[in-house]
Amino acid sequence: MNVLFGSPVGALLARPWVDPVGLFGLRRWYLPLSRLWAAANIADADVSRFRDEIGIALPAFWSDTRLKRLLLRHKRAQTRAEETRTAWENALFHPVSESDPERLDRDRRIAATAHLATRALFYPLLFPSRPPLARWRIQAPEQVERELGRVLENPSTLYVAPIDPESLSASRGFVRNGIREYWLRAPTPSRRLGQRKGSETLYARVVEPVAGAADTVVFGNGLCVEAELMPMDRAPGPQLAKMGWRVIEPVSPYHGLRAMPGFYGGEPFFAASPTSSMDLIAGQALESALLIAWAHARFAGKVALAGISMSSFVAQLAASHCHLWPAEARPDAVMLISHSGRVEDVTFGGALAAMLGLDRALVEAGWSRERLARLSDMINPAEMPALPPSRIVSALGETDRWVPYRDGLALARRWGLPEENVFRYRFGHLGMPVQLVRDSSPFARLRQVMNEG
């Protein structure tokens, strides 16, 4: 959600034709460039390592000297991004620092955006053949089953962990455009995420009106969305804060500040499936419980959990398993945005998974739909939610094929959501962020149900 989404041009994006165009752009340009960019990140300007990482043989005219120049340009931007991030983190979470947190945050975002933009440097390398869309690391079914062991026998253990609000550290804050902003940081409560380099630490941004807010929403983003790396004043947080919400925006595992070495933001979610997707969804559900508990302890109002696309699976799991958490860690209401039903149906029936080649990669690694279903049961929504259905709001795009609409509607029906809690729009997946800027009705309903009773 940026400034474009609130404009007349943004209105054009809320159309069914946008989804297939978006898929084409992802497959043709964005993901291949991201793979080259991620390879450069880990190559550290080493030409031989870069060649090994990209998964294709380059034409002869790409000499080592020519590649070295390109990699050095990228390395300068990467180094600048890493330095500004370190300065930002040290200063914001340091109790006696006298540096300007707003300037540090702005510098970090500008440098991170410049680093992301170096993807364009690699455009000539897309010809005559493109690299793979992902650095595939899919484990064989037998290996996964051995690794998971008792978790397969008792999946509820994925959703049980110490929830200690005192583990969260709050940064120094600043005020910009009438909005107060600060950050939270903690070791992830998820044991499995804690074993993944780069995703061991939970980060979340808090934005709120300067005058304060009665209600809080923990808002999870979609796959490959890394808003914290870009200067986006019209991102979901500030927009909702202007509506009177306090917004906690967690950084999803494998993304942005939590990206894993050698991968672009969000890539491990599908490239190392099915365990990586399971770890993200279950792990972020536990992290959401921790953020909810922190908000309940710190503020007097109610706390909701909302998730769009990838994070809608997180919100579904919270609604399914929050009875396993302490009372203060349970959301007062949940909102599911662009959601679906069973994970294996998205994997083998969703347009995004098909474009990525995830279904084919899983089959090649030995996974059948039936075998994946057994594993996916651990992160599929429960037959009935632990949260009262009257406290769950759904927003769906009727032409969504990325995360199939029919499965999301079927879940809303199975869970018995009241009709007034189900919002349906005549567009697809990419149109939903635009619609939520233009139409705040789903959030108005969320606020209403979370404060009833």
Side-chain angles (χ1 to χ4, degrees):
M1 290 186 194
N2 57 24
V3 67
L4 177 63
F5 288 177
S7 70
V9 176
L12 295 175
L13 298 179
R15 295 291 186 271
W17 55 264
V18 173
D19 278 8
V21 172
L23 281 177
F24 179 82
L26 287 172
R27 182 180 68 251
R28 187 72 178 169
W29 295 297
Y30 183 76
L31 294 180
L33 287 173
S34 297
R35 179 86 295 280
L36 294 169
W37 176 85
N41 284 341
I42 201 171
D44 197 29
D46 184 314
V47 173
S48 296
R49 187 171 184 186
F50 178 74
R51 288 185 184 274
D52 291 341
E53 289 285 338
I54 60 177
I56 56 170
L58 295 174
F61 62 79
W62 280 105
S63 66
D64 283 3
T65 301
R66 191 178 181 190
L67 279 176
K68 186 73 172 182
R69 286 198 299 267
L70 187 153
L71 291 173
L72 286 173
R73 288 181 64 189
H74 167 271
K75 181 62 180 177
R76 285 193 291 270
Q78 181 184 6
T79 300
R80 175 61 179 160
E82 291 169 350
E83 290 173 348
T84 55
R85 174 186 172 167
T86 299
W88 166 82
E89 190 154 7
N90 288 342
L92 259 67
F93 288 95
H94 198 288
V96 296
S97 175
E98 297 180 358
S99 53
D100 179 357
E102 181 182 10
R103 180 185 60 78
L104 286 168
D105 188 72
R106 184 173 61 249
D107 290 349
R108 175 188 65 82
R109 289 173 180 269
I110 289 171
T113 301
H115 178 218
L116 293 174
T118 59
R119 283 172 166 87
L121 296 175
F122 301 101
Y123 182 76
L125 274 65
L126 296 184
F127 306 95
S129 60
R130 282 167 167 70
L133 300 184
R135 188 186 188 199
W136 297 107
R137 295 291 187 274
I138 295 178
Q139 294 175 298
E142 297 79 10
Q143 183 181 356
V144 171
E145 290 168 5
R146 284 195 304 271
E147 177 188 325
L148 291 176
R150 294 180 181 177
V151 177
L152 275 172
E153 300 171 9
N154 185 12
S156 63
T157 58
L158 281 175
Y159 306 103
V160 178
I163 304 296
D164 179 14
E166 295 297 321
S167 68
L168 280 160
S169 301
S171 78
R172 294 189 300 141
F174 58 87
V175 175
R176 178 169 53 198
N177 299 327
I179 302 296
R180 179 182 294 109
E181 178 175 328
Y182 54 98
W183 283 80
L184 303 175
R185 184 178 68 176
T188 179
S190 166
R191 180 184 61 83
R192 290 185 59 84
L193 280 180
Q195 298 170 352
R196 290 186 179 269
K197 185 172 178 57
S199 281
E200 310 97 322
T201 303
L202 181 164
Y203 292 90
R205 182 176 76 146
V206 184
V207 290
E208 61 187 6
V210 171
D215 299 319
T216 302
V217 60
V218 178
F219 187 98
N221 266 309
L223 179 63
C224 296
V225 175
E226 301 177 296
E228 81 278 7
L229 300 185
M230 293 175 280
M232 296 172 66
D233 291 336
R234 296 293 295 274
Q239 290 297 299
L240 290 170
K242 290 176 182 177
M243 295 165 53
W245 290 89
R246 175 182 300 104
V247 186
I248 303 176
E249 294 180 299
V251 177
S252 291
Y254 322 148
H255 291 71
L257 296 172
R258 306 179 68 178
M260 293 176 63
F263 294 91
Y264 55 85
E267 183 184 10
F269 181 74
F270 51 90
S273 286
T275 51
S276 58
S277 53
M278 180 191 74
D279 290 346
L280 185 149
I281 294 170
Q284 191 172 328
L286 283 173
E287 293 176 355
S288 298
L290 177 58
L291 294 169
I292 291 166
W294 178 85
H296 272 140
R298 188 177 179 96
F299 307 110
K302 301 293 183 69
V303 184
L305 174 63
I308 185 169
S309 188
M310 179 187 72
S311 290
S312 70
F313 288 100
V314 174
Q316 287 177 174
L317 288 182
S320 297
H321 300 293
C322 61
H323 64 288
L324 300 172
W325 304 337
E328 63 273 13
R330 302 170 192 167
D332 296 295
V334 162
M335 187 156 98
L336 312 174
I337 309 168
S338 297
H339 64 100
S340 193
R342 299 179 63 83
V343 172
E344 70 271 15
D345 292 338
V346 177
T347 302
F348 285 97
L352 180 60
M355 180 277 291
L356 292 168
L358 175 57
D359 51 352
R360 297 185 298 277
L362 285 166
V363 169
E364 289 172 3
W367 290 92
S368 64
R369 186 170 188 147
E370 293 72 27
R371 204 160 189 175
L372 183 65
R374 183 188 176 206
L375 192 66
S376 297
D377 276 342
M378 297 192 293
I379 52 173
N380 281 329
E383 189 63 27
M384 288 300 296
L387 198 69
S390 61
R391 292 183 176 270
I392 302 173
V393 177
S394 165
L396 294 163
E398 293 180 336
T399 64
D400 192 346
R401 299 294 179 270
W402 291 29
V403 180
Y405 158 75
R406 66 181 183 279
D407 296 334
L409 184 63
L411 178 70
R413 296 286 182 257
R414 189 179 84 222
W415 277 6
L417 271 57
E419 191 60 36
E420 59 270 26
N421 286 15
V422 180
F423 294 81
R424 291 183 282 176
Y425 300 100
R426 189 63 186 168
F427 50 69
H429 199 80
L430 294 178
M432 186 61 77
V434 183
Q435 185 65 24
L436 294 179
V437 169
R438 300 166 65 210
D439 177 12
S440 61
S441 299
F443 281 99
R445 181 60 183 160
L446 179 67
R447 172 173 277 154
Q448 184 179 4
V449 302
M450 74 188 292
N451 286 293
E452 289 176 349

